[in-house]
Amino acid sequence: MTRRSPLLWIGVAALALSACGGDSTAKSNKASGDAAIADTSVPDAGGDASTNNVTPDMRMPDSGSPDMSADMGDDVTINPALCGNGLPNPGEDCDDANADDDDECNSSCRFTCGDGQVGALEQCDTAIAAGLPGACPTACDDQDACTSDTLSGSECLAQCVTGDIAACVDGDGCCPSACDATTDSDCTATCGNGIIEAGETCDGNCPTACDDGAACTTDVMSGSAATCDAACSTSPVVACVNGDGCCPAGCDSTNDDSCSATCGNGTIEPPETCDAACPMNGADCDDNDVCTADTASGLASQCNAMCVNTPLGCRPNLNDGCCPASCNANNDADCTAVCGNSVREAGEQCDDGGTTAGDGCDANCQNETGPAFRMSDLDLMDPHVFINFSGCRDITNGNVPFNLSPPINGMLQDSITQDGNNDGTLDLSFVAIFDPLDQANGAMGNITVAEADCTAPMATTSCTVDSMGSTFQMGTYTTNTAASCLDALPNTTRPYMPAIRPSTAPCFATTAFDLTIDFNGIQVPLTDVQVGATFVGNPATGLENGLLRGFISEADADAVLLPSSLPLVGGDPLSSVLAGGTGACPAHDDRDVGPDGITMGWWFYLNFPAAQVPTTVQ
């Protein structure tokens, strides 16, 4: 039933009474037509109340009254005969034409909300004082941190609704059943719930014994699995004890039978005759010539030395006061850099043996084209190369049958470091030329990556780059001093060992270009090549953590044929030795999706270091 306000009922009653009092003829007709309400007729002007059977409380105002509603007032007595007729009569709050005391309008034509009783349709009653049963709530809090309390409805329909809290929330005072101390700060650590929480070292996976298998450590377990604080600790063995299989530092064969005699440890052990302080050692054999080595004869490793005075060679890590004529600042600590001696030394970017300007190396042995860095090693990290011979063999870093040839990375190393065909140049050289080199964070510049002709031997190499060559690639680079510059793309590698090394800060990375790499006679065309590396020094004198990343499609790998000189796989396509390629023996698949998101092939990752070398671009 829709609740009607008392004011609405009174307003309707006033309109009904006004209509009745405005026409005496109508009143007469009403009186004659409905005996049930004859006593409610309003008297004519000047009539007698007793004649019309209307009590003083029920009498309607005279027709001459200027304000009928004012005469009615709020204290009009309800006529019981009219309560229940469905009409809002004077004095009634409401009239729903029934005698039900459990709905909104009771049998006395009064609203039940506010009557001090909680009816069947009510949750409470506004007339009941706060704190008493049935009083209507104005706020809800059951003092339980694990429930949510909400005030629903209003007036006599107001009620508190309570729900359980299930979310893991820090600081709300509640630890729901599905939460623990790692997900809710209101929970305490519970040993045995399978979750390692604060104060625990284990939970469900606790050690029961400790032994790392090393003879030179003592292994101790502390705590227990029952309290989830079991842990293993190891400490080094330091005591010299016979028969324990360990020779700690400071022990020797005279006090620990696990040690073997060691010449040079300062202790004379059989069959030694001296150790460290041997007769006629270097101090006894000093000839006062700084350019001779004064040593004992024989082998010092056998502790039976005699004096030998040998002219000194180049000593890069020893200041002996001598710089032999055949040495330079790179291989002897007593020599100083000399510009023009054809050897690039500390502080020099190049040294072409002269001081003529304009030839790529100026009179101060500084590059005139920007510093250049040559890869001094190159290792294929992913994918690996496999051949099928007595099982599927990974020959990337070894495992070549009968040692018929070096492994793939051995071939690359030989090509970079050696002049195999004795033509005076190293077999494989890639250089990166910065123009200019700017190592500030976010700096950008031009860079050229190209295959170069570099003279042998590698220690004194200088390089020449043909600007018209097929591998001459120009692009830009960006430096970063705070974060890594180049790493493997997600989901394109396998967990081969050793792992790919990313180019970490301070570092640079290039834009993408195409490049063909010579893998010992195997021409591998790569697209979307990027190069990155970590700078060594500022200004840089070398590069480390170098990473070359590029993609070869499966179609291109099918078209590249391996040289016939290669044992077992000569004449086969390159794809046949890559996991996932046609005819390849591995059970796994190293193929990736290319930069276009469609083309299948392999992402190649190669790590390298690089050293600064004098370079001329022709």
Side-chain angles (χ1 to χ4, degrees):
M1 171 178 177
T2 303
R3 177 183 292 274
R4 300 177 177 86
S5 72
L7 292 178
L8 176 59
W9 287 109
I10 294 172
V12 174
L15 290 174
L17 291 174
S18 176
C20 291
D23 187 339
S24 61
T25 304
K27 289 184 288 181
S28 299
N29 292 338
K30 177 67 176 177
S32 62
D34 191 348
I37 59 172
D39 289 342
T40 66
S41 341
V42 179
D44 293 334
D48 189 333
S50 61
T51 307
N52 289 280
N53 300 319
V54 179
T55 66
D57 287 338
M58 294 291 292
R59 186 179 300 118
M60 298 298 293
D62 294 336
S63 62
S65 175
D67 188 346
M68 296 170 62
S69 63
D71 290 340
M72 292 167 59
D74 293 334
D75 59 352
V76 179
T77 302
I78 294 176
N79 187 340
L82 298 180
C83 181
N85 66 357
L87 297 174
N89 296 295
E92 297 177 345
D93 290 341
C94 55
D95 197 322
D96 58 359
N98 65 52
D100 187 354
D101 286 332
D102 287 327
D103 58 11
E104 294 184 349
C105 187
N106 63 21
S107 59
S108 299
C109 292
R110 296 297 184 189
F111 289 118
T112 56
C113 184
D115 64 358
Q117 301 293 325
V118 180
L121 300 180
E122 298 174 338
Q123 298 292 334
C124 59
D125 195 278
T126 57
I128 299 175
L132 297 178
C136 292
T138 58
C140 298
D141 186 357
D142 64 358
Q143 302 302 312
D144 186 346
C146 283
T147 61
S148 59
D149 308 312
T150 306
L151 180 63
S152 174
S154 61
E155 295 185 345
C156 293
L157 295 178
Q159 63 176 327
C160 289
V161 178
T162 300
D164 291 333
I165 292 176
C168 304
V169 178
D170 292 340
D172 64 355
C174 175
C175 176
S177 60
C179 305
D180 57 67
T182 68
T183 58
D184 194 320
S185 64
D186 300 294
C187 299
T188 57
T190 303
C191 183
N193 63 358
I195 300 171
I196 299 177
E197 301 163 293
E200 299 179 339
T201 60
C202 58
D203 197 316
N205 60 345
C206 297
T208 57
C210 298
D211 184 359
D212 63 2
C216 283
T217 60
T218 300
D219 308 312
V220 178
M221 188 177 78
S222 60
S224 72
T227 54
C228 290
D229 60 352
C232 291
S233 62
T234 62
S235 59
V237 173
V238 297
C240 305
V241 178
N242 292 331
D244 62 358
C246 174
C247 178
C251 301
D252 55 63
S253 62
T254 65
N255 54 23
D256 192 323
D257 62 7
S258 298
C259 300
S260 58
T262 304
C263 184
N265 64 358
T267 301
I268 300 176
E269 305 161 284
E272 297 176 347
T273 59
C274 62
D275 198 303
C278 294
M280 301 181 66
N281 59 19
D284 296 330
C285 300
D286 185 6
D287 63 359
N288 295 315
D289 184 350
V290 295
C291 284
T292 61
D294 305 320
T295 62
S297 64
L299 296 174
S301 60
Q302 297 179 4
C303 295
N304 57 0
M306 295 181 64
C307 287
V308 176
N309 304 113
T310 305
L312 296 176
C314 304
R315 297 189 177 189
N317 300 313
L318 180 63
N319 291 108
D320 55 13
C322 176
C323 175
S326 60
C327 303
N328 56 61
N330 292 338
N331 53 27
D332 195 296
D334 294 293
C335 297
T336 58
V338 178
C339 183
N341 65 354
S342 299
V343 177
R344 185 167 63 89
E345 299 161 295
E348 300 176 343
Q349 294 180 343
C350 58
D351 194 323
D352 58 3
T355 56
T356 303
D359 62 356
C361 188
D362 65 18
N364 296 315
C365 288
Q366 301 298 304
N367 285 328
E368 295 177 312
T369 59
F373 300 86
R374 177 183 179 273
M375 295 180 185
S376 53
D377 189 11
L378 189 62
D379 292 313
L380 177 63
M381 311 301 288
D382 193 296
H384 276 200
V385 176
F386 298 84
I387 62 171
N388 191 1
F389 183 86
S390 296
C392 194
R393 294 171 176 257
D394 182 345
I395 64 169
T396 308
N397 294 303
N399 206 23
V400 177
F402 310 118
N403 294 319
L404 294 175
S405 68
I408 296 300
N409 285 332
M411 292 181 182
L412 285 173
Q413 177 69 6
D414 290 346
S415 296
I416 288 175
T417 60
Q418 298 177 12
D419 177 12
N421 57 6
N422 296 315
D423 65 354
T425 61
L426 300 171
D427 296 335
L428 179 63
S429 297
F430 278 96
V431 297
I433 305 172
F434 294 81
D435 188 17
L437 174 60
D438 189 343
Q439 294 178 232
N441 188 46
M444 299 180 65
N446 296 323
I447 189 169
T448 298
V449 178
E451 189 170 0
D453 290 327
C454 299
T455 60
M458 190 172 75
T460 58
T461 190
S462 61
C463 301
T464 301
V465 176
D466 182 3
S467 61
M468 302 301 292
S470 60
T471 64
F472 189 90
Q473 300 292 337
M474 298 186 65
T476 61
Y477 72 93
T478 303
T479 60
N480 193 325
T481 61
S484 295
C485 294
L486 192 64
D487 200 350
L489 298 171
N491 303 316
T492 63
T493 64
R494 289 186 65 82
Y496 292 125
M497 295 299 292
I500 296 169
R501 299 186 301 278
S503 301
T504 55
C507 53
F508 75 94
T510 69
T511 51
F513 53 87
D514 296 340
L515 183 69
T516 297
I517 296 181
D518 184 345
F519 283 85
N520 202 39
I522 307 170
Q523 302 296 317
V524 180
L526 299 177
T527 63
D528 296 276
V529 173
Q530 285 184 272
V531 176
T534 301
F535 293 114
V536 178
N538 190 356
T541 58
L543 305 176
E544 61 184 12
N545 297 328
L547 178 62
L548 187 152
R549 182 180 77 195
F551 181 78
I552 182 171
S553 68
E554 192 167 7
D556 286 345
D558 288 340
V560 174
L561 298 181
L562 302 175
S564 58
S565 59
L566 291 178
L568 303 176
V569 294
D572 292 340
L574 173 62
S575 57
S576 69
V577 297
L578 302 178
T582 302
C585 64
H588 65 275
D589 191 343
D590 279 346
R591 288 180 300 171
D592 312 305
V593 178
D596 61 2
I598 300 173
T599 303
M600 294 298 294
W602 292 267
W603 280 101
F604 271 57
Y605 296 96
L606 299 101
N607 277 134
F608 65 88
Q612 189 172 357
V613 296
T615 301
T616 302
V617 178
Q618 296 180 341

